[in-house]
Amino acid sequence: MTTAETHKSNEMGKDIAVYVGMLVLAGVQFFIAYQNISVQQMFERMLIVALIEAGLALLFFMHLSENRGLRWFVLIFTVAVILGMQYGWSDSYRLTNGVPWAH
Amino acid sequence: MSQADLTMHGHSTAGAMAEPAFSVPAKKMAMWLFIIADSATFAGCLVAYGFIRNATPNWPTPFHSITNVAIMTLILLTSSLTMLIGVRAAQAGDKPKAFRWVMITAVAGVLFATLHLREWMGMISEGATLFQNPWGTPLFSSLFFSITGLHLLHVTGGVVALIAVGIRYQGGRYKADDLEITGLYWHFVDLVWMFVVPLVYLLNLSH
């Protein structure tokens, strides 16, 4: 086997390993859905698993692991925008706890 | 001062302008910028869904089975792998193999969309529409159809793009880089599904 073929085989092996890992993580999300826990706990656990899955997809399927500069660019912009959207949660909780039907 | 003089002194303006950001070709960078913008769109939808779900008492949990959504997840994840195989074949110069795997990815996309529509039809037959549903607050079906519909629209667009780019790559008009850029979009659609499934389906599972 030539060096190029070995490299190609290694790359394919890595892709399959990441794919299997993501399948397992997706399975974990389905498993969490059947746990006897509160919706908040379920949400937190599922979100953590989804973030790990997304990280794997970004780093290996979308090859961000190969470009450090682009990785930081994408991460900083995306996280900043998504964090900016979280400003309204206090109002959402006010609706749950501070309106007549809440009690 | 001529262009030759500029180049001779190592200050070619053309060279400076041509230097791509992060050493990424312009087309690929454009796709990354689109992906960042589109993730903001999906994040906006999912955060809005979170606000409303959190603020609405007696939120419906109508899903009894997760078999369909599990199969859909398996298909979409597998399609990401087939896309990777296609892109790697294109980069290795194996055109027929690359075309074959890209078309397999497109078929997986069609299968996913078909299952998605089947699930929608099931819900519609139970009385759910964009503005009402038999399980409680109408906001549930509004958000469900909007979020899954937006994702389905992306899958449909992705399938069209895969077929168009695949055929043009096969015909020699597009290169391996173009397949890779289409692949980036397809992986993004897969990535978004990883958040849609737990938030929209699994958290609304009837226990």
Side-chain angles (χ1 to χ4, degrees):
Chain A
M1 194 181 269
T2 64
T3 314
E5 280 171 339
T6 311
H7 177 72
K8 198 177 157 188
S9 168
N10 288 343
E11 289 287 307
M12 200 62 233
K14 191 175 77 182
D15 291 344
I16 291 171
V18 172
Y19 164 72
V20 172
M22 285 171 70
L23 274 186
V24 170
L25 287 170
V28 169
Q29 281 187 329
F30 284 88
F31 176 74
I32 293 169
Y34 281 103
Q35 297 299 296
N36 193 20
I37 50 178
S38 69
V39 172
Q40 191 182 341
Q41 285 175 313
M42 207 177 269
F43 168 74
E44 286 166 1
R45 289 172 196 190
M46 285 178 181
L47 191 65
I48 289 167
V49 176
L51 286 170
I52 297 170
E53 275 187 278
L56 284 174
L58 281 166
L59 287 174
F60 299 105
F61 282 6
M62 298 165 91
H63 308 296
L64 270 189
S65 63
E66 294 162 15
N67 190 328
R68 196 176 169 200
L70 183 65
R71 185 165 70 229
W72 282 109
F73 174 77
V74 171
L75 192 72
I76 290 168
F77 268 78
T78 311
V79 169
V81 170
I82 292 172
L83 283 181
M85 289 175 184
Q86 312 304 321
Y87 74 94
W89 281 108
S90 55
D91 196 46
S92 180
Y93 277 102
R94 185 188 61 79
L95 284 171
T96 321
N97 303 309
V99 293
W101 71 70
H103 302 289
Chain B
M1 192 182 278
S2 69
Q3 182 65 36
D5 290 330
L6 284 169
T7 311
M8 218 166 65
H9 291 94
H11 296 291
S12 170
T13 48
M17 293 297 281
E19 182 63 33
F22 308 114
S23 307
V24 175
K27 278 195 278 188
K28 198 171 172 183
M29 193 64 199
M31 179 53 82
W32 272 112
L33 291 174
F34 170 76
I35 286 171
I36 291 170
D38 216 23
S39 30
T41 306
F42 274 106
C45 290
L46 290 172
V47 168
Y49 163 78
F51 287 167
I52 294 169
R53 193 191 196 286
N54 187 46
T56 309
N58 305 318
W59 187 258
T61 52
F63 298 115
H64 298 288
S65 168
I66 52 164
T67 311
N68 200 48
V69 75
I71 295 168
M72 285 159 70
T73 305
L74 177 68
I75 291 169
L76 207 56
L77 272 175
T78 308
S79 75
S80 260
L81 182 69
T82 58
M83 189 70 217
L84 269 180
I85 297 171
V87 170
R88 291 219 190 274
Q91 285 164 343
D94 190 344
K95 207 172 244 190
K97 186 181 174 187
F99 179 72
R100 195 167 56 243
W101 282 102
V102 169
M103 288 305 119
I104 290 171
T105 308
V107 169
V110 170
L111 202 58
F112 174 88
T114 308
L115 285 175
H116 213 319
L117 288 174
R118 198 189 84 172
E119 180 163 311
W120 272 21
M121 290 305 161
M123 289 185 72
I124 290 166
S125 69
E126 285 182 50
T129 64
L130 198 55
F131 303 107
Q132 62 176 28
N133 66 73
W135 309 295
T137 174
L139 286 168
F140 168 77
S141 53
S142 299
L143 286 164
F144 174 81
F145 285 119
S146 301
I147 293 171
T148 57
L150 184 64
H151 185 264
L152 186 58
L153 193 67
H154 278 72
V155 171
T156 311
V159 168
V160 173
L162 283 172
I163 294 170
V165 175
I167 289 171
R168 287 182 177 205
Y169 169 75
Q170 176 79 343
R173 287 181 68 187
Y174 284 171
K175 296 175 185 166
D177 282 356
D178 299 304
L179 273 190
E180 191 191 347
I181 291 163
T182 316
L184 276 180
Y185 173 80
W186 191 255
H187 298 312
F188 170 71
V189 169
D190 186 12
L191 188 153
V192 169
W193 186 246
M194 292 162 200
F195 290 90
V196 172
V197 170
L199 294 174
V200 178
Y201 288 93
L202 299 182
L203 282 180
N204 298 324
L205 195 62
S206 167
H207 288 280

